Amino acid sequence: MAEYGRGAKAGVVAGLVCGVILAIGYYALFTLVQDTARRAIQDALPVGSVITVDQALAAALVLLVVGTFVGTIVVGAILGLVFAAAHNKYMQSKSLAMRGIVFGVILWIIGILFNIGSFSYGATYIGLSVLIGLIASLVYGYLLGTFFGRFGPKQQVPSPTAM
């Protein structure tokens, strides 16, 4: 029987840490491509707009960081449910942490497939995005497996018998 509550809790905790990693990574990546983003915003803003390019750029950065952090926690909980349903179906002789890492690598590969459209942004952007995603996925998977095990039922230690 899958333990969905346990998976959701482990997913939220792992998602918190992963969200911090991704928010910091995407903040750094955004500042790296800030000039390109500035030009894109400048081209998109209508003439006579009430907000400036710098204000729109700052809002985009805040939205990216906060949205990434919050979204990672929510998605982390959902993926924790998936892990709860699937963790006993593969690599049963391995630890939960190792199964979590494999789960994270699978998520990373799926993430790359969903982001193929962003490959036109340049090699540096792609390379850093893939690296940030790999680090976050490995950390998320490891923590998911580790916390899934910790949030499990407590083993009862037999009480010592009196002599």
Side-chain angles (χ1 to χ4, degrees):
M1 178 79 185
E3 300 174 57
Y4 295 113
R6 183 174 153 194
K9 281 195 299 188
V12 166
V13 174
L16 278 165
V17 175
C18 184
V20 170
I21 292 168
L22 286 175
I24 291 169
Y26 289 155
Y27 176 85
L29 187 58
F30 188 86
T31 56
L32 182 68
V33 297
Q34 188 170 352
D35 292 335
T36 305
R38 182 183 307 281
R39 284 191 297 275
I41 290 171
Q42 197 168 16
D43 292 342
L45 279 178
V47 176
S49 176
V50 294
I51 64 169
T52 66
V53 173
D54 289 334
Q55 289 171 331
L57 193 63
L61 180 58
V62 168
L63 185 65
L64 173 69
V65 170
V66 172
T68 296
F69 180 71
V70 172
T72 303
I73 296 168
V74 171
V75 171
I78 294 167
L79 292 173
L81 297 172
V82 173
F83 184 77
H87 79 280
N88 278 333
K89 299 190 179 6
Y90 66 101
M91 297 173 52
Q92 293 177 353
S93 65
K94 301 295 181 188
S95 70
L96 283 170
M98 180 56 71
R99 286 184 256 175
I101 289 171
V102 169
F103 186 75
V105 169
I106 292 168
L107 295 174
W108 175 66
I109 292 169
I110 292 169
I112 290 173
L113 295 175
F114 277 108
N115 287 316
I116 287 178
S118 68
F119 284 3
S120 62
Y121 292 126
T124 303
Y125 176 83
I126 294 166
L128 289 175
S129 293
V130 168
L131 181 63
I132 292 166
L134 176 61
I135 292 167
S137 294
L138 290 174
V139 169
Y140 175 79
Y142 174 77
L143 292 175
L144 177 65
T146 300
F147 285 115
F148 188 80
R150 286 189 184 168
F151 293 151
K154 304 290 185 233
Q155 298 289 336
Q156 291 217 334
V157 179
S159 61
T161 58
M163 293 182 126

